[in-house]
Amino acid sequence: MTIREFKMPDVGEGLTEAEILKWYVQPGDTVTDGQVVCEVETAKAAVELPIPFDGVVHALLFEEGTTVDVGQVIISVQTGEAEAPAPAAAAVEAAPAAAEPAPAARQPVLVGYGVSEASTKRRPRKAAPAPAVAAQNGTAAPVAAPAPAAPAAPAPLPAVPAQPSGERPLAKPPVRKLAKDLGIDLASVVPTGDGGVVTREDVHAAAAAAITPQAAAPAAAPVAAPAAVAAPVAQAAAPAVDASVRETRIPVKGVRKVTAQAMVGSAFTAPHVTEFITFDVTRTMKLVQELKADPDLAGLRINPLLLIAKAVLVAIRRNPDVNASWDEAAQEIVLKHYVNLGIAAATPRGLIVPNIKDAHAKTLGELSESLSALVATARDGKTSPADMQNGTITLTNVGVFGVDTGTPILNPGESAILAVGAIKLQPWVHKGKVKPRHVTTLALSFDHRLIDGELGSRFLADIASVLEHPRRLITWS
C-alpha cells in the first residue's frame, strides 16, 4: 500500500493560487480515477477538481475556505499499489545515498502533469548571533532597564533574526504582494519558513505587531500619570468600543481580488478616454415591442440590451480599427477580425465579464440565445475560465440600477467598453415640438493608444445613430 498525493493544479489560467470552496470527500472515503473531490475558485470561476487515481482518502491537507498555492499537496490517497521490495545487498550498498531521496514522479492533475518539483533548493541563511543583532539594533540598553511589570514575551524575538541587512528577503510572489498591500517591509519581518522564507503568517504577525503598540499606548498612560489625574483618565477611557464592533474586515480573495488586480492594472496601463452621447431611443423601444410579438422570435429574450449589442456589432463593422489590442512586448497593434463581445455580469461572487464568442457572425436570434445563456451561467456561478478569455469589446449595463452614465474601466487586453445608462421618458424636441421621448446616455471608454479621438467619436456616434434609427440595422449591415 502506498500514499499518493494530489497537488493543487494550474487549470490553465496562469494563476498562482486558488481557494478551496468545498470538499466532496472525507478521510476514509473510496475514490476512483476521475472522481471530483473538491471545488475551488480561481480567476472568478468555480472549478471542480477530479482526482487521477483510485484509492481511499488518507487525509485532507487544507480546510474549506483556505487559499492554497498551485503545486501544494491538498489531499493524500492510500492506493492498492504495492512497492516492490529491494534486494538486501542492494539496500546495503544504497544506504549512503539514502539521505538524498529521488525526486517524486510528476503526478497527472487537471491539466497536464502539474507543477514539477524544483531541481534546486534554497541555501538556508546563516543566523547571526543574538548579541550581535541586539547590539546593531540598539536594544541591549532598553532590555536591561528596570521594568518589573514589563512583559517578557517579546524577549525571544531577537533569537530569530530578521532579514540580514543588504539581502533581499526570501518570499513567494503572493506573500510579497500581501506585504505590499499591508504596508509591511519584508526586510523587517522575522521569517519562520524553511530556509529563512517569509510566510503569510509572518506578514500577518508583523502587521498585528505594528498595530498593537498603537492600541497599547493609551492603556499605559494612566500608569505614568500622577495619582491625582488617574481617575479622570480611567473615566475617559470607559466609553471606548472594540474596533471589531464598529468595523468589519473582509479578506480580499477570489473574485474581488482578481477584479481589483485587473482594474488597477488596466487603469495604470491603458490611457483611458471616455466620451458621452445622449439621444432619443424611442424607435428602438418600439422595435423591441414589435420583436417580442414576432412568432419567429417566440421564446427568445428580447430587450433593449440585445439591440444595443447588435448596434455595437454594426458600428464595429463600419469602424473595424476599434476592434484591436495592444501588444506591448512586440510593440504591435493587433487588429481582430472577429468580435468576442463581453457582457459585464453581477454574480453572487462578484463582477465577471464572460464574452460571446464570434458575436459578429450571429443572427439576432442566435445573439439572444447566447446572451441569455451567458447571463444564466454567470448567475449560477458556472462560468468557465475559457468563457472569460480573449474578449475584444465589452458592454456594461449600469442602467438597470437607475444610473444615467459612468466612466467604465477597460477590461484588460480590450480596446473599448460601452456603459449603457438608464432609458427614461424625458422632454425632448422631436420634429420641432417638445414631447416625452425615451432617452438614454452611452459612455464609451477606449484605449487612447489604439483609438484616437476621431475614431472613438465616429464609433460612438454610429452606435447612437443605429439606436436612434433602428432601420440602419439593415441598411448598414
Side-chain angles (χ1 to χ4, degrees), residues 43-209:
K44 307 181 181 181
V47 180
E48 293 181 335
L49 299 184
I51 199 159
F53 41 78
D54 302 335
V56 177
V57 176
H58 179 259
L60 306 181
L61 281 301
F62 294 95
E63 297 180 353
E64 294 178 355
T66 305
T67 299
V68 182
D69 291 339
V70 169
Q72 282 191 290
V73 177
I74 59 174
I75 181 175
S76 60
V77 175
Q78 185 175 0
T79 66
E81 302 173 359
E83 296 180 348
V92 174
E93 294 176 359
E100 298 181 3
R106 297 176 67 189
Q107 300 175 3
V109 290
L110 186 62
V111 177
Y113 282 83
V115 181
S116 61
E117 297 292 339
S119 59
T120 59
K121 296 183 178 179
R122 287 193 176 100
R123 176 173 55 85
R125 285 196 171 97
K126 295 180 180 180
V133 174
Q136 291 174 7
N137 295 338
T139 57
V143 173
L157 291 179
V160 181
Q163 307 297 336
S165 177
E167 292 191 24
R168 188 169 186 261
L170 295 178
K172 295 181 179 180
V175 177
R176 293 184 184 279
K177 179 66 168 56
L178 175 64
K180 181 179 179 181
D181 293 342
L182 296 179
I184 300 299
D185 182 5
L186 279 178
S188 65
V189 178
V190 178
T192 62
D194 295 339
V197 176
V198 178
T199 66
R200 286 178 176 273
E201 291 70 20
D202 297 337
V203 174
H204 284 300

Side-chain angles (χ1 to χ4, degrees), residues 192 217 243 290 326 357 377 435 438 463:
T192 62
E290 292 173 2
W326 183 273
K357 299 294 191 288
T377 302
K435 297 182 179 180
H438 285 97
I463 297 173

Side-chain angles (χ1 to χ4, degrees), residues 6-25:
F6 179 61
K7 300 178 180 180
M8 176 67 73
D10 178 0
V11 294
E13 304 167 55
L15 297 181
T16 59
E17 60 186 15
E19 179 186 353
I20 297 177
L21 297 179
K22 184 177 182 180
W23 282 109
Y24 295 122
V25 295

Side-chain angles (χ1 to χ4, degrees), residues 284-285 288 292 302-310 420 423 467:
T284 290
M285 297 303 290
V288 168
K292 286 182 177 181
I302 308 297
N303 55 25
L305 184 62
L306 173 63
L307 295 186
I308 292 171
K310 195 66 176 177
V420 181
I423 299 175
L467 294 172

